[in-house]
Amino acid sequence: MATAELAGKHLVLGMTGGIACYKIAELTRLLTKAGATVQVVMTEAATQFITPVTMQALSGRPVYTSQWDGRVPNNMAHIDLSREADAIVIAPASTDFLAKLAHGMADDLLSTLCVARDCPLLVVPAMNRQMWQNPATQRNVAQLRADGVTLLGPDSGPQACGEIGDGRMLEAKATYEAISSFFSPKILSGRRVLLTAGPTFEPLDPVRGITNRSSGKMGFALARAAQQAGAEVHLVAGPVSLETPWGVFRQDVQTAQQMHDAVMRSVADADIFIGVAAVADWRVAHASEHKIKKTAERALPSFTFVENPDILASVAKLPHPPFAVGFAAESGDLEVHGEEKRMRKNVPLLIGNLGPLTFGLDDNEVILFEAGSATKLTRADKQTLARALIAEIAKRLPDTSLIR
Ligand code: C5P
């Protein structure tokens, strides 16, 4: 599916030598699926890890590996390839290639292309942790940043060599998200966004509990869209099995009370709060410390419930609240209940899910309730819708100078 950020973009994808070259096959697929054209350029070393044939098949374009490639009519591949590009992305970027870039060396097609470029350069490092920590590498990285090069990653974790630490390349999906983010309009630049997402889990005993069918997809999509719009994003997530969007700070919680406490600790810093979580309204007053046993003689268990705090309403009640946005999933008559709920929660904007069965689905249709109007947005997949909602929220923000 083409995405707004990458559709029609032309990328030079420069590959250098490293085992992470296998991730670039998937990255190329994601970029082309999003509507970008991908021109692969490989160093000699990269061809030892994955073949140009594979990269040609995935990108749908001939791959360049040599400065002396006669296929470019004027024989100036190093100039022509970068002039067509919206950006050059080096992935994986080896220790050696970072050093070459930092010193402006130009001794093969890819390095010459980078020196001759007139477009942004994004670099995705991939190397052993000692190579990454080496002072020479760190000097080169600092120099590249000072030169305006954008570094994506590296990640931390187990490495192909068996060691654990910083230096591994971001996964293909995260690299793809970081590249999309680079091209997104920065309509929330300088803003801090706090979100809740997913269900909560209220324990009955150490193994059982009450939860709901919220998948967290809409909240995670909004967190991703806000990050891509340039915001600093803090996502407080209930129990969900979703990957953290690239660049988002995620805090996992289980219960409504924990979610409330996490939000209240951070809300003073937020310019925008978006409550997407399906928070349990009640919890068991005294969850059992031990697993409740099922025995022939024992009567059926019964529980006393107490009310959970309303996180959204608590945020809206603060003396200097951030711009607070709520969500509502109603089982009927959304038009009436949506506006009524917005007023009861005392928020400027409430987003109503049309139809109660959006839990877990990949697309959604919503109505925006605000004082004096209700606006329907067209049905779309949750990521497209999230982008549209972030644009709608950005439009309604008070002027930065008026924000606390
Ligand atoms: O009252 P209701 O649960 O329908 O309201 C939904 C909105 O309120 C959502 O934005 C949800 O995240 C928020 N909410 C909350 N804390 C609660 C209950 C709901 O923040 N305890």
Side-chain angles (χ1 to χ4, degrees), residues 5-349:
E5 288 74 26
L6 289 168
K9 289 282 184 293
H10 182 71
L11 303 173
V12 168
L13 183 53
M15 300 172 63
T16 70
I19 188 62
C21 277
Y22 78 92
K23 295 183 181 177
I24 311 308
E26 175 70 0
L27 173 64
T28 304
R29 210 183 58 81
L30 290 168
L31 291 169
T32 52
K33 238 173 103 183
T37 53
V38 177
Q39 175 60 62
V40 177
V41 177
M42 300 171 80
T43 62
E44 224 287 320
T47 65
Q48 298 291 321
F49 291 90
I50 189 166
T51 69
V53 174
T54 302
M55 296 315 301
Q56 175 170 353
L58 290 168
S59 64
R61 297 168 78 95
V63 170
Y64 288 88
T65 56
S66 162
Q67 213 162 345
W68 317 118
D69 197 315
R71 283 174 297 179
V72 179
N74 61 3
N75 228 314
M76 286 196 224
H78 64 289
I79 305 288
D80 282 23
L81 295 178
S82 96
R83 291 301 174 271
E84 293 166 3
D86 292 296
I88 300 177
V89 181
I90 307 294
S94 64
T95 318
D96 177 61
F97 202 77
L98 292 185
K100 277 164 79 163
L101 280 179
H103 290 88
M105 287 173 68
D107 62 355
D108 63 5
L109 175 59
L110 188 56
S111 54
T112 311
L113 199 62
C114 290
V115 177
R117 78 183 186 281
D118 62 353
C119 62
L121 177 60
L122 283 67
V123 166
V124 194
M127 65 197 70
N128 162 272
R129 69 189 170 96
Q130 297 290 8
M131 295 169 88
W132 174 252
Q133 279 162 10
N134 188 292
T137 307
Q138 289 302 310
R139 271 199 307 278
N140 292 332
V141 166
Q143 183 60 55
L144 290 173
R145 287 206 171 101
D147 292 346
V149 173
T150 301
L151 270 99
L152 308 177
D155 214 343
S156 200
Q159 306 199 310
C161 54
E163 296 180 6
I164 297 176
D166 290 344
R168 58 179 272 151
M169 195 189 125
L170 295 179
E171 292 305 328
K173 183 83 192 306
T175 310
Y176 162 77
E177 283 186 11
I179 298 169
S180 303
S181 176
F182 178 81
F183 286 110
S184 303
K186 300 292 176 259
I187 52 175
L188 288 186
S189 169
R191 308 282 193 162
R192 283 169 296 192
V193 178
L194 177 64
L195 300 105
T196 63
T200 62
F201 181 89
E202 309 297 327
L204 298 174
D205 70 15
V207 293
R208 304 183 182 94
I210 299 173
T211 187
N212 60 63
R213 293 176 59 208
S214 168
S215 65
K217 284 181 184 169
M218 193 66 223
F220 275 56
L222 278 159
R224 181 179 288 110
Q227 190 282 331
Q228 294 189 343
E232 199 181 296
V233 182
H234 179 169
L235 173 63
V236 181
V240 293
S241 52
L242 293 174
E243 271 175 49
T244 310
W246 183 79
V248 166
F249 173 70
R250 170 176 177 177
Q251 186 177 4
D252 285 322
V253 296
Q254 295 274 316
T255 66
Q257 188 65 51
Q258 289 167 355
M259 189 174 269
H260 170 270
D261 296 349
V263 165
M264 287 305 160
R265 268 195 299 274
S266 302
V267 71
D269 291 334
D271 300 306
I272 301 166
F273 172 75
I274 314 178
V276 199
V279 185
D281 290 316
W282 310 282
R283 67 175 180 276
V284 169
H286 301 287
S288 170
E289 234 178 88
H290 302 287
K291 185 180 171 195
I292 301 165
K293 294 244 179 325
K294 180 184 167 196
T295 53
E297 58 282 7
R298 212 190 134 127
L300 290 176
S302 67
F303 301 97
T304 308
F305 288 90
V306 290
E307 207 168 312
N308 274 325
D310 188 317
I311 304 167
L312 179 61
S314 313
V315 168
K317 243 188 258 152
L318 291 169
H320 302 287
F323 185 81
V325 182
F327 267 75
E330 291 293 330
S331 48
D333 222 353
L334 179 66
E335 271 82 353
V336 177
H337 295 305
E339 180 54 12
E340 183 270 320
K341 183 169 289 189
R342 184 191 74 76
M343 297 212 289
R344 184 159 38 84
K345 303 254 179 183
N346 192 26
V347 291
L349 183 63

